[in-house]
Amino acid sequence: MRLMLVDGPRLVKRFHRAGSWSSGLGSAPGFALTLPAVCGGLAGRTMPTRPRDRARTVSRREFLAAFVALASSGAGGRETALASRLTPIGVQLYTVRTLLERDFEGTLAGLAAIGFREVEFAGYHGRTPQAVRAALGKAGLVAPSAHVPIEAVRDDLPRVLDGAFVMEHRNVVVAWLPEPERTLDGYRAAADLFNRAGQNALAAGIRFAYPNHAFEFARLDGRKPYDVLLERCEPRYVAFEMDLYWITQGGQDPLAYFARWPGRFPMVHVKDSTGPPDHRMVDVGAGSIPWKAVFARREQAGIRHYFVEHDAPPDPLASVRRSYEYLRRLEV
């Protein structure tokens, strides 16, 4: 599938497939949209650029919203199904947080040298979105996702979405639910918040999401909180980022979740476990999680982004390098 934005004869941006757009989209007030495959009202038509046709001109945010809806629908999935190796392989920057504090640009360059092309943020380390995006461009990296605190979503969602728009994040992920709110009523309220936030995010061309931890699988009044979230969150507004280490530690089978809720997991945290009883976190490929079996079901799950992560490695760059090399060679 190929999508193209044009501004008269000048190419503004080209999309080769869902999940691979480059940075630097122009900000012209009107642009033509040639999009033979987009669902909904934008499908199969060229949008005018003349001011008098403003009512029919699609804004950049409207285009991105349509593109997110297309990606969420699973279009382009056959390409992944035919691939024999995982691509692109990304990294959750929480793994290298101490290095970023000391040398932000140098750490990004080091990740790019390993072979990573995507990163997921867990804070901007005191920098503005504009400064972070410039550093990413210098390193040749893109950031399709970022984790944010739930308080920011509650208190100032427009600012969160504006920053994500500058960064060209396609996903904004609430990092976790505070412990006092981890009751069944708290999870139901969180799901309602996520639905509202997700509706606003989609209008801005951004997908809203939530990850999992082990505590979402501890039963409350006979229910798994994670199941409550999946049931109550609207799929069109809220996606899920499966942490494959934490779901394993929580005693659950990710394949069962892929089968029960297909297409709900566009992102995964790829981190390994030695298994019971201690569930020690190790580099990917050094533990017991059956990665080949998990990723053989990536189409069913809807996975488009793979973020390597380790919460506390002794040598962060060496750890993510080993994980990257394992995944690069993995045939699925």
Side-chain angles (χ1 to χ4, degrees):
M1 180 182 68
R2 174 168 294 183
L3 312 181
M4 184 181 299
L5 284 176
V6 295
D7 182 5
R10 180 175 62 87
L11 177 64
V12 177
K13 183 173 288 285
R14 187 186 305 269
F15 302 83
H16 292 287
R17 60 180 173 82
S20 63
W21 77 46
S22 60
S23 61
L25 180 59
S27 56
F31 49 82
L33 173 63
T34 303
L35 190 53
V38 168
C39 57
L42 300 181
R45 66 179 210 236
T46 300
M47 306 304 290
T49 59
R50 296 188 298 275
R52 65 176 175 273
D53 293 329
R54 182 175 300 171
R56 295 196 299 132
T57 298
V58 62
S59 71
R60 179 187 178 200
R61 288 187 182 234
E62 291 167 339
F63 173 80
L64 290 176
F67 185 78
V68 168
L70 175 63
S72 300
S73 72
R78 291 182 182 177
E79 180 179 354
T80 306
L82 294 174
S84 61
R85 297 182 188 272
L86 302 181
T87 182
I89 302 170
V91 59
Q92 168 41 264
L93 294 179
Y94 182 76
T95 309
V96 294
R97 60 195 179 279
T98 57
L99 303 182
L100 288 168
E101 289 291 343
R102 296 198 298 265
D103 183 0
F104 191 83
E105 292 192 356
T107 301
L108 294 179
L111 294 171
I114 289 171
F116 291 107
R117 291 297 174 263
E118 293 189 343
V119 298
E120 181 179 52
F121 277 92
Y124 295 154
H125 298 271
R127 291 164 173 79
T128 65
Q130 291 82 357
V132 174
R133 181 175 168 183
L136 286 175
K138 183 177 179 181
L141 297 169
V142 296
S145 180
H147 281 211
V148 299
I150 193 171
E151 293 81 7
V153 173
R154 285 195 183 109
D155 300 339
D156 200 355
L157 181 61
R159 182 182 62 80
V160 171
L161 295 180
D162 284 346
F165 191 70
V166 169
M167 287 290 300
E168 295 194 350
H169 297 320
R170 294 196 295 280
N171 305 276
V172 168
V173 185
V174 163
W176 68 345
L177 201 61
E179 188 170 359
E181 300 176 33
R182 296 174 198 168
T183 64
L184 283 183
D185 285 343
Y187 282 106
R188 293 184 184 109
D192 294 342
L193 171 67
F194 298 164
N195 285 330
R196 293 192 300 272
Q199 187 172 9
N200 287 318
L202 185 61
I206 297 163
R207 180 165 45 192
F208 194 83
Y210 185 74
N212 65 272
H213 316 82
F215 56 74
E216 275 105 4
F217 301 103
R219 290 182 181 272
L220 298 173
D221 297 330
R223 299 297 313 279
K224 297 173 190 171
Y226 198 56
D227 294 0
V228 171
L229 290 172
L230 280 159
E231 291 167 3
R232 197 173 180 99
C233 288
E234 289 281 350
R236 57 182 168 167
Y237 298 140
V238 183
F240 286 82
E241 180 176 49
M242 182 174 284
D243 188 300
L244 292 157
Y245 169 86
W246 289 120
I247 191 172
T248 302
Q249 186 184 13
Q252 305 302 309
D253 180 3
L255 301 184
Y257 275 82
F258 295 166
R260 186 177 175 187
W261 283 284
R264 299 289 297 275
F265 308 98
M267 298 171 288
V268 288
H269 281 175
V270 188
K271 49 211 279 195
D272 215 338
S273 168
T274 58
D278 56 349
H279 293 283
R280 186 166 53 88
M281 193 178 296
V282 292
D283 299 335
V284 180
S288 61
I289 295 179
W291 295 111
K292 192 177 184 71
V294 169
F295 291 136
R297 302 275 287 277
R298 64 197 183 279
E299 275 301 303
Q300 182 184 47
I303 302 170
R304 295 293 178 266
H305 303 283
Y306 309 82
F307 297 117
V308 167
E309 187 179 24
H310 192 307
D311 288 2
D315 185 335
L317 277 182
S319 173
V320 297
R321 181 182 294 109
R322 287 189 291 267
S323 294
Y324 174 87
E325 289 298 327
Y326 174 83
L327 292 173
R328 183 180 64 83
R329 294 190 298 267
L330 183 67
E331 293 187 358
V332 292

